């Protein structure tokens, strides 16, 4: 094989500079998670296929990468499916394992499997890659990292408050006040209440899917979708009122910039409550949202715009209460999450409520790059390079090199006495700030010639002076 | 599905305390790598199958986990293999992708693919999981982490010196002087020289396999294996002399503890050179080893025992020069590596020499655990917990909680006013040092009751005093 090597579609290599940027994002998120009492876990990349399938519907099952059984896998293959060349039917019998497609299902499995060792409420965070057999496109990969935090075993809404504050802290840190971002909050129970109040619970999923498209297709679009579902005129009208409340809300925000997030949310919630407060779900949803907005108002935020978005649906996931989504202008969701009441039920542990968020590291990466918001990553690369002039000089420099390293300074010697120009180019390309030149003069005097590659200045320094300078 | 969930054989979950220990190992290795000028990269978990197969022989190919193509994979399946139920024959046509089984092959692929953007010599490190369809057993997993550092694009032996010093630094840091460990060094060219000198180059692989078993089967065992290969008496004798040199070397070390590593190595190398110095490979191998031992002697080591082991073979890998292995008593290799002259040739880039090492994080984990060598991981968990006595108290505590967090202190409030005992148990189980109790007295005075969970002592502190105390 001598053709140019490549990597699978939708996957990526990360170069040193890309790694430095990614680690900066991960470390920022990790530090905030820890400050809020979250503890890290990791789960295997490969789960049993039966753990993963059936959690997100057929469409999700198709997105799962299956791992072929080792050895003579055809010996135990489903004969009928094999004969009929039925790929879908055959899979289970030749692939027992699969790559995880999110961190939430493995976490639910982890909680059930380790329930006797876990102290609930359990605040866990997890930063690992996931894999999806999606069609790759700009900003969508087949291997990407998720940065999840969940609190499981508590239905207290203080957990939601913590998660919203975490979002505020992370983006305050990453954006440094240079970017506007909006944390939209809704509650699935309000959607349920509306749909219940018009007697269309059977159409719940289809209606949510229609509402979810608002950002893309607008008011008229949603109305057309609802029309297709053959709702009665009254039902469609009430649901459209929900949509309109979002428009009114957005208008009010612009018109009255001095109204607080809580005041704005309350005014819309009041309107909504006329319609849905007599449904149990609707009432509960409104109460929950009010609690969250009150606490956030009480505690304040650093840089987030917090808004109530009655049309936020977040797809057909497992959410049952609060839902959260973070957006910046002209960019798809960069963080999202919500509350789920029965995530572990599939694995035999009932009635455990949880709530979580997931930062989309890859999208955040692009946003920071587009807006030039990365700090300089000095400590990450080599700081000092000894130029190699030959054996004698090299032997003189080696102990000095290790003195620098012992002082915690990232340093190297060029490994051979290559041409000066080549060695200097190496220093330049690697972004090394100080280059040390040692010839016979320097060996005699013990004063090293140190060149600052950023401004071209040269100095004569002892090794101790060099250490102090770099530190 | 309500049966107890499980994870695939040979894979593991990592709990918070396990993660803290693993991160400690990774961070220690990372910091040393950076100090030596290495830069981090990452490659995808999934590579094209054709990138991975054929690098380590048929046995290695069997250990590769293949990823089933998505969609109707049988439509493009090899018809003949399907009809004959030939699993091995079918695989390539239904699985284009596979999980990497080491970090070296993906690195070689990365170098070739990005050769125009890389500054050579390239010092890269990479810490990621790999997967092998091996039979799981104690200390051997199907998913495990490798921590690799390689220098590619330089044949300077200074690189070997750096790698040996890195090993010394990492284990000095991790073992804190409490464990004896040995860095064995050999050179493949010496093995080649010996085998050439007796005219048995055709039997090279078989002889290396026999020598490699010395640790398990002893001198007589190796002799029996060589006998099976029908070597001439003279050939077998010369090879056995190599083996005996190892025994003599070990004896000499015990008898003359004041001899330096260099002196010991030199004496054996002198004996060997009588036999092999007239083969090009043998001469080169001896020169290379002498250079490395001289430099290490010159620079000194912190805690490593460095020995020359003429019988070290490190299997049938791609090594062509120096080989390195680290062992502690009664434990298999915990780190290994070596030089390879043609790793990138498979991908069309010839004559690029490289050298690298790989720390076995999972084995190091077990060693540190067995010998109780982990530090305490305080900063990793919650430091302060506010007990929740009800709504009024909770609202009073919330802003204080955020003052702690803003001061960088990991802290939480119990999310509901559960029974006191339950909340205290939570604090105990999570290893939280300080618990804050706020009732009506505290709210009035502004002095919080702070209980130290380690010694039971209670104090009354303002929030500022608490912050200072914890910091």
């Amino acid at each position: 094989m001598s053709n140019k090597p490549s990597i699978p579609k939708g996957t990526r290599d990360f170069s040193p500079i890309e790694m430095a940027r990614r680690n900066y994002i991960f470390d920022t998120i990790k530090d905030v998670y820890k400050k809020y009492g979250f503890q890290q876990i990791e789960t295997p990349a490969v789960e049993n296929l039966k753990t993963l399938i059936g959690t997100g519907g057929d469409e999700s099952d198709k997105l799962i990468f299956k791992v072929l059984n080792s050895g003579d896998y055809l010996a135990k293959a489903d004969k009928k499916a094999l004969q009929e060349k039925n790929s879908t039917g055959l899979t289970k019998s030749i692939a027992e394992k699969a790559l995880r497609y999110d961190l939430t299902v493995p976490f639910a499995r982890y909680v059930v499997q380790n329930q006797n060792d876990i102290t609930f409420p359990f605040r866990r965070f997890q930063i690992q890659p996931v894999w999806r057999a999606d069609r790759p496109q700009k900003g969508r990969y087949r291997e990407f990292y998720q940065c999840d935090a969940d609190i499981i075993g508590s239905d207290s809404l203080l957990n939601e408050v913590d998660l919203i504050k975490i979002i505020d802290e992370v983006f305050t840190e990453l954006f440094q006040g240079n970017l506007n971002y909006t944390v939209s909050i809704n509650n699935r129970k309000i959607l349920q209440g509306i749909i219940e109040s018009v007697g269309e619970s059977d159409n719940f999923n289809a209606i949510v899917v229609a509402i979810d498209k608002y950002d893309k297709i607008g008011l008229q679009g949603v109305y057309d979708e609802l029309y297709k579902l053959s709702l009665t005129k009254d039902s469609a009208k009430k649901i459209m009122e929900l949509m309109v409340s979002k428009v009114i809300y957005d208008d009010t925000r612009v018109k009255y910039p001095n109204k607080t997030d809580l005041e704005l949310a309350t005014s819309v919630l009041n309107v909504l409550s006329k319609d849905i407060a007599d449904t149990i779900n609707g009432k509960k949803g409104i109460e929950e949202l009010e609690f969250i907005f009150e606490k956030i108002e009480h505690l304040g935020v650093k840089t987030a715009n917090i808004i109530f978005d009655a049309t936020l649906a977040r797809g057909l996931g497992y959410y049952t209460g609060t839902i959260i989504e973070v957006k910046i202008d002209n960019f798809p969701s960069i963080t999202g999450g919500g509350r789920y009441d029965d995530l572990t039920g599939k694995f035999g542990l009932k009635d455990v409520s949880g709530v979580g968020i997931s930062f989309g590291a890859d999208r955040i990466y692009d946003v920071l790059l587009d807006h030039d918001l990365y700090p300089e990553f000095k400590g990450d690369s080599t700081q000092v390079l000894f130029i190699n002039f030959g054996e004698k000089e090299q032997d003189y420099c080696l102990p000095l090199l290790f003195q620098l390293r012992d002082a915690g300074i990232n340093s190297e010697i060029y490994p051979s006495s290559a041409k000066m120009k080549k060695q200097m180019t190496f220093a330049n390309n690697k972004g090394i700030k100080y280059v040390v030149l040692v010839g016979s003069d320097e060996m005699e005097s013990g004063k090293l010639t140190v060149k600052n590659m950023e401004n071209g200045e040269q100095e004569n320094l002892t090794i101790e002076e060099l250490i102090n300078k770099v530190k």
Side-chain angles (χ1 to χ4, degrees), chain A:
Chain A
M1 195 188 91
S2 67
N3 13 4
K4 270 260 163 349
S6 63
I7 47 175
K9 247 190 327 183
T11 69
R12 293 160 294 165
D13 288 320
F14 297 111
S15 68
I17 177 66
E18 288 165 336
M19 281 306 300
R21 291 187 197 125
R22 289 169 64 82
N23 286 333
Y24 165 68
I25 295 172
F26 294 144
D27 289 345
T28 302
I29 295 172
K30 249 188 233 177
D31 286 348
V32 176
Y33 280 163
K34 284 187 188 171
K35 229 161 59 179
Y36 282 70
F38 288 79
Q39 297 181 299
Q40 191 175 14
I41 70 160
E42 283 189 3
T43 62
V46 171
E47 293 271 350
N48 289 321
L49 182 57
K50 64 179 180 185
T51 299
L52 301 184
I53 51 171
T55 44
D58 278 358
E59 277 310 305
S60 288
D61 288 353
K62 278 189 198 153
L63 296 184
I64 298 173
F65 279 116
K66 286 92 182 175
V67 176
L68 199 57
N69 294 345
S70 329
D72 184 13
Y73 55 89
L74 284 177
K76 288 186 188 166
D78 182 315
K79 288 204 180 82
K80 191 159 164 277
L82 202 57
Q83 207 137 40
E84 291 169 356
K85 286 195 144 202
N86 173 357
S87 296
T88 316
L90 186 67
T91 302
K92 274 190 211 178
S93 66
I94 64 169
E96 285 168 11
K97 296 180 286 295
L99 294 173
R100 64 169 168 249
Y101 67 89
D102 73 2
L103 301 177
T104 313
V105 174
F107 174 54
R109 192 265 312 143
Y110 176 94
V111 166
V112 177
Q113 208 175 320
N114 299 283
Q115 52 185 294
N116 298 323
D117 302 318
I118 292 173
T119 307
F120 293 98
F122 182 35
R123 300 189 151 216
R124 90 86 173 75
F125 77 89
Q126 190 170 353
I127 299 182
Q128 291 191 278
V130 303
W131 296 268
R132 289 185 195 173
D134 236 331
R135 195 202 310 251
Q137 57 185 61
K138 192 181 159 15
R140 193 200 281 163
Y141 305 100
R142 289 186 154 184
E143 172 180 89
F144 58 98
Y145 268 72
Q146 291 193 329
C147 311
D148 282 22
D150 290 78
I151 303 130
I152 198 156
S154 160
D155 57 8
S156 164
L157 296 166
L158 287 182
N159 297 316
E160 270 92 335
V161 173
D162 263 1
L163 293 175
I164 294 163
K165 290 284 286 181
I166 283 175
I167 290 171
D168 178 43
E169 285 214 33
V170 166
F171 289 119
T172 300
E173 182 77 23
L174 291 178
F175 295 163
Q176 298 284 331
N178 291 300
L179 274 181
N180 251 317
Y181 64 101
T182 302
V183 183
S184 304
I185 304 176
N186 195 11
N187 193 302
R188 268 294 176 91
K189 295 190 182 98
I190 292 181
L191 291 173
Q192 279 174 359
I194 303 260
I195 295 169
E196 263 174 52
S197 76
V198 296
E200 292 287 350
S201 294
D202 290 350
N203 272 322
F204 182 77
N205 282 357
I207 295 172
V208 165
V209 168
I211 293 174
D212 211 18
K213 291 187 188 159
Y214 168 70
D215 272 354
K216 287 187 198 124
I217 60 178
L219 271 184
Q220 183 62 44
V222 174
Y223 187 79
D224 293 345
E225 294 272 319
L226 293 178
Y227 182 79
K228 277 187 222 154
L229 296 172
S230 353
L231 304 186
T232 66
K233 234 181 172 173
D234 269 10
S235 301
K237 202 181 138 213
K238 272 213 176 171
I239 291 165
M240 288 313 291
E241 276 168 8
L242 168 83
M243 305 304 299
V244 172
S245 75
K246 149 91 172 159
V247 179
I248 294 171
Y249 178 91
D250 289 346
D251 278 355
T252 316
R253 276 186 76 208
V254 176
K255 268 195 210 141
Y256 304 99
N258 292 329
K259 283 206 174 200
T260 66
D261 296 329
L262 175 64
E263 286 165 348
L264 284 164
T266 310
S267 67
V268 187
L269 285 168
N270 281 339
V271 176
L272 282 177
S273 70
K274 275 186 288 177
D275 289 323
I276 62 168
D278 49 342
T279 67
I280 294 173
N281 274 322
K283 198 172 167 220
K284 193 94 201 305
I286 289 177
E287 278 170 15
E288 290 183 8
L289 266 182
E290 277 173 345
F291 179 92
I292 293 168
F293 271 92
E294 267 169 34
K295 291 291 178 262
I296 293 287
E297 178 91 0
H298 179 48
L299 294 166
V301 287
K302 293 183 163 134
T303 58
N305 299 302
I306 314 272
I307 68 164
F308 164 54
D309 179 352
T311 67
L312 179 68
R314 283 197 62 73
L316 285 176
Y318 28 66
Y319 299 120
T320 50
T322 310
I323 41 184
I324 303 170
E325 192 164 273
V326 184
K327 284 188 182 176
I328 61 167
D329 306 334
N330 303 321
F331 225 88
S333 162
I334 52 174
T335 293
R339 179 171 287 278
Y340 39 82
D341 280 335
D342 191 31
L343 196 68
T344 55
K346 175 181 190 301
F347 303 113
L349 184 64
K350 303 273 177 215
D351 300 323
V352 179
S353 188
V355 58
I357 51 169
S358 181
F359 286 93
D362 297 277
R363 286 182 181 169
I364 295 171
Y365 181 99
D366 290 344
V367 170
L368 295 182
L369 198 62
D370 286 353
H371 293 85
D372 200 14
L373 289 176
Y374 287 105
E376 265 195 273
F377 300 109
K378 294 216 172 185
D380 238 56
S381 183
T382 301
Q383 296 158 285
V384 177
L385 175 77
F386 286 84
I387 298 294
N388 192 329
F389 285 112
E391 226 179 296
K392 226 174 68 191
E393 292 83 356
Q394 170 186 297
D395 279 349
Y396 180 87
C397 290
L398 277 176
L400 303 178
L401 167 66
F402 279 91
Q403 258 183 275
L404 286 181
R405 286 174 176 166
D406 281 341
I409 295 167
N410 303 349
S411 40
E412 300 175 53
I413 183 166
Y414 197 86
S416 65
S417 53
K419 284 197 183 123
M420 179 75 173
K421 199 186 154 193
K422 193 173 177 187
Q423 297 189 45
M424 295 304 267
T425 305
F426 173 84
N428 256 329
N429 287 349
K430 208 169 167 177
I432 298 173
K433 185 165 178 187
Y434 297 104
V435 157
V436 180
L437 304 117
V438 174
S440 46
D441 286 357
E442 284 81 0
M443 291 198 286
E444 208 166 299
S445 68
K447 285 265 193 181
L448 318 170
T449 300
V450 178
K451 180 169 180 170
N452 180 326
M453 298 292 280
E454 285 171 9
N455 58 23
E457 277 171 20
Q458 277 192 201
E459 285 179 283
N460 295 314
L461 303 173
T462 64
I463 186 71
E464 289 78 16
E465 287 167 344
L466 175 60
I467 290 173
N468 287 331
K469 187 170 189 73
V470 180
K471 291 199 121 178

